[in-house]
Amino acid sequence: MNRPSLFSAVIRDPIGALDRWSGEDLGWLVPRLGALLVGTSSLYGFSVGIHHSLEQGLYSAVKMPLVFFAPALLAAPALGAVADALGLSLPPRRAAAASLLAMTRVAVVALAIAPVAWLFAEASRNYEFVALSTAGVLLVSGLFGWGLLARSPTGWATASWTSRAGMAVAAALLFGVVTAQAGWLLRPFVLRPRLEPELFQAPESDIFTEIRRRL
Amino acid sequence: MNGVGWVALAAGWVAVGLAVAGLLLRQGQTTPAALAALVCWPLLLPLLGAARPAAGPYGVRIDEAVARLDRALREVGEPLPEDLRALARALHQADARVARYDRLHADAADAEPEDRARLVEARARAAGELESVLAEVVRMRVQVGLAALAEGAPVRARLGELSARVGGVDEVAAIGARA
């Protein structure tokens, strides 16, 4: 695998990319994946916000990369620590590379699915439907990142099923929680039609309190 | 947290990023990596304290060969990180000697032809020994992959032999220089 094939490696062979670039090449990998993550998540953010107005589309394009970067930046050390606790080997460089690769993969897949969600959103012009389809796109694309994170430790294939299951659950919880809370703090992305576009809303509570309140 | 708090947090984040970027540049990392560290410094922290990229002509091949053997050993459930680190260190030291011969040769344009020829021969012997050990590492990886050498103890013994062998590159080269 050569370096120009980074984009296809993110989609087709993320574990191979991890094996190849998580050592001394981390300094080569991070700026390139970072640029790819910013580009794809920004376009995805634009596609989410544009159903309301151009202004909201631009705001979402600015904020969405932060939502995708937050888990990679904040949860990578915890991912390595959890792997160690489960008896798996995930050195710091590999954990860092896996986190960024996973979130880039999520952003690329989300952007790929976005036109489908956009088509339905444009047809319905319904806030609840757009919010639901955005959550659905993130959930589906999140599976692609989760699969990579769960398999990121070296020797994963030969590890016990309890370690593998523990890693899968821990990766879902860690990255799911950070992504949800970052999205909540940086809202709105999908804006009710009657509201004026705005860059940020004042943080009132956390995502879980809000879900509980609405339920 | 209010608006001022968020701004202070962002400023602190970038300040740490600046410090990490400076350290990465001093360590020999590229400018894109240092720029990425301004925001992504938590991801690049593991690079701090890492050895500089190998300067010798075999640096990349050594890193790749050792990384592949490491991967093969982990796949068969026999990781030997310390032995591999020792082998990598010995190989890089031998590589540095080859690089030193190259520098000496480049600086010896006005030397006697016999001295230059001895230098070339010493370099060729050192490089030959290094090549031969690298080929042995590749052979070991194949044997590990075929499960012909999956036990930890024999692999460790072979790695020890190779480390000792590559550690003697100076002597091998000196034989050529004396001849």
Side-chain angles (χ1 to χ4, degrees):
Chain A
M1 189 190 300
N2 54 26
R3 284 180 164 178
S5 66
L6 178 62
F7 184 84
S8 61
V10 167
I11 300 301
R12 291 180 185 174
D13 184 22
I15 294 294
L18 197 55
D19 291 339
R20 174 71 182 83
W21 290 311
S22 63
E24 289 292 331
D25 281 342
L26 186 64
W28 178 88
L29 183 72
V30 169
R32 283 157 182 81
L33 271 188
L36 186 58
L37 177 56
V38 168
T40 49
S41 58
S42 184
L43 279 171
Y44 172 64
F46 184 77
S47 77
V48 168
I50 193 68
H51 89 279
H52 181 280
S53 60
L54 177 64
E55 195 178 359
Q56 182 59 26
L58 292 173
Y59 286 163
S60 289
V62 170
K63 292 188 295 182
M64 195 63 90
L66 297 174
V67 176
F68 280 82
F69 255 118
L73 296 178
L74 301 179
L79 189 73
V82 166
D84 275 350
L86 291 168
L88 297 164
S89 171
L90 188 60
R93 288 183 197 180
R94 192 171 172 92
S99 301
L100 193 57
L101 263 170
M103 292 314 296
T104 307
R105 196 165 151 83
V106 174
V108 170
V109 175
L111 180 61
I113 305 173
V116 179
W118 176 83
L119 177 69
F120 282 95
E122 279 302 299
S124 73
R125 284 277 163 190
N126 178 300
Y127 167 78
E128 276 76 19
F129 181 82
V130 175
L132 196 64
S133 68
T134 303
V137 168
L138 286 175
L139 191 67
V140 170
S141 53
L143 292 175
F144 287 81
W146 174 63
L148 168 60
L149 291 168
R151 290 178 295 143
S152 60
T154 50
W156 174 86
T158 53
S160 67
W161 75 267
T162 47
S163 296
R164 286 192 278 176
M167 191 68 200
V169 171
L173 285 176
L174 269 173
F175 281 71
V177 165
V178 177
T179 308
Q181 181 64 6
W184 178 252
L185 283 174
L186 294 165
R187 76 190 192 288
F189 296 94
V190 183
L191 190 63
R192 288 185 187 280
R194 59 187 163 77
L195 297 177
E196 286 294 307
E198 56 183 334
L199 190 55
F200 296 110
Q201 281 178 8
E204 296 149 3
S205 61
D206 61 87
I207 180 69
F208 302 107
T209 307
E210 190 61 25
I211 290 172
R212 199 174 59 200
R213 190 177 68 77
R214 291 189 184 190
L215 287 176
Chain B
M1 194 156 34
N2 56 19
V4 177
W6 285 108
V7 171
L9 178 66
W13 186 276
V14 174
V16 176
L18 269 171
V20 173
L23 290 170
L24 287 173
L25 280 175
R26 275 182 61 187
Q27 207 172 277
Q29 290 292 337
T30 60
T31 307
L35 285 174
L38 293 177
V39 177
C40 305
W41 58 265
L43 299 175
L44 290 162
L45 275 180
L47 282 178
L48 292 182
R52 282 166 176 272
Y58 293 93
V60 175
R61 277 182 61 193
I62 291 169
D63 287 338
E64 282 182 359
V66 173
R68 284 176 180 161
L69 181 56
D70 181 38
R71 202 154 54 238
L73 286 168
R74 286 180 190 280
E75 278 172 6
V76 296
E78 290 284 355
L80 296 169
E82 288 179 14
D83 301 80
L84 281 174
R85 264 199 295 276
L87 175 63
R89 205 165 34 241
L91 283 165
H92 279 300
Q93 281 168 359
D95 183 39
R97 286 183 204 111
V98 174
R100 198 176 66 214
Y101 287 131
D102 285 341
R103 281 195 302 277
L104 280 171
H105 188 258
D107 291 343
D110 52 351
E112 293 294 323
E114 300 84 54
D115 291 338
R116 284 173 59 85
R118 282 221 296 274
L119 206 50
V120 168
E121 193 178 345
R123 197 264 186 210
R125 280 177 180 273
E129 187 67 2
L130 191 50
E131 288 264 12
S132 142
V133 172
L134 277 174
E136 192 63 31
V137 171
V138 173
R139 205 169 300 128
M140 271 185 77
R141 177 168 60 85
V142 174
Q143 288 177 329
V144 168
L146 294 172
L149 191 64
E151 299 290 325
V155 176
R156 182 169 281 141
R158 290 274 295 276
L159 290 174
E161 281 168 26
L162 290 178
S163 294
R165 197 171 135 193
V166 81
V169 158
D170 256 354
E171 290 169 27
V172 172
I175 291 168
R178 279 197 297 270

